[in-house]
Amino acid sequence: IREECMKIKEKLKIILSGAIMAAMALSFVPAIPASAETGTDTYSYEGYSVDYSVTNEWNGGQSVEVKITNTGDEPILNWALKYDTVGEISSLWNGNVYSHDETEYIIKNANWNYEIAPYQSVMYG
């Protein structure tokens, strides 16, 4: 019985540490404005930068590409960005809507681009 209790405690520790890591990751989600004129804006932070490019716009919509570049020496794992939008995000590629509440979106990595190696980039739009 003691051995079973130790196994259960270890499993709970793993689950709890995973939940804490997920909560911490979301607390560091940067906010990027999601409505701009055609062109590119670059936002620089400690360890990474974000290029927000409006590639096309029309009455009621925009095409946007976002490039996240790891400027640090350690990989970025399970990245996410937070947007306060004027409209709705749709037709997303290379990312997933993690959460959506009125005008606030959190966009998270897709399964295949969860890691950004040092001095490398990922793009979504």
Side-chain angles (χ1 to χ4, degrees):
I1 293 176
R2 182 176 211 149
E3 197 171 304
E4 285 297 316
C5 286
M6 295 300 285
K7 287 181 183 178
I8 291 171
K9 281 185 178 180
E10 287 302 313
K11 286 182 183 178
L12 286 174
K13 283 183 186 178
I14 292 169
I15 291 169
L16 183 59
S17 66
I20 290 170
M21 290 297 288
M24 287 176 57
L26 288 177
S27 68
F28 293 111
V29 173
I32 306 286
S35 181
E37 293 183 20
T38 303
T40 300
D41 290 314
T42 300
Y43 303 89
S44 296
Y45 303 93
E46 186 175 330
Y48 67 99
S49 66
V50 177
D51 293 332
Y52 184 90
S53 301
V54 178
T55 59
N56 193 6
E57 62 183 338
W58 58 92
N59 189 17
Q62 297 179 324
S63 290
V64 175
E65 291 182 351
V66 178
K67 180 170 94 172
I68 305 167
T69 302
N70 182 348
T71 59
D73 295 327
E74 298 292 325
I76 297 172
L77 303 175
N78 292 318
W79 54 266
L81 293 176
K82 182 169 57 172
Y83 294 88
D84 191 13
T85 66
V86 173
E88 178 182 338
I89 294 177
S90 62
S91 303
L92 189 61
W93 51 269
N94 279 350
N96 295 305
V97 175
Y98 178 77
S99 73
H100 169 233
D101 182 26
E102 294 183 22
T103 63
E104 185 178 276
Y105 281 82
I106 295 178
I107 306 299
K108 190 164 173 26
N109 59 271
N111 290 336
W112 59 87
N113 64 359
Y114 76 97
E115 179 179 356
I116 308 173
Y119 307 103
Q120 298 297 310
S121 301
V122 298
M123 288 186 68
Y124 70 93

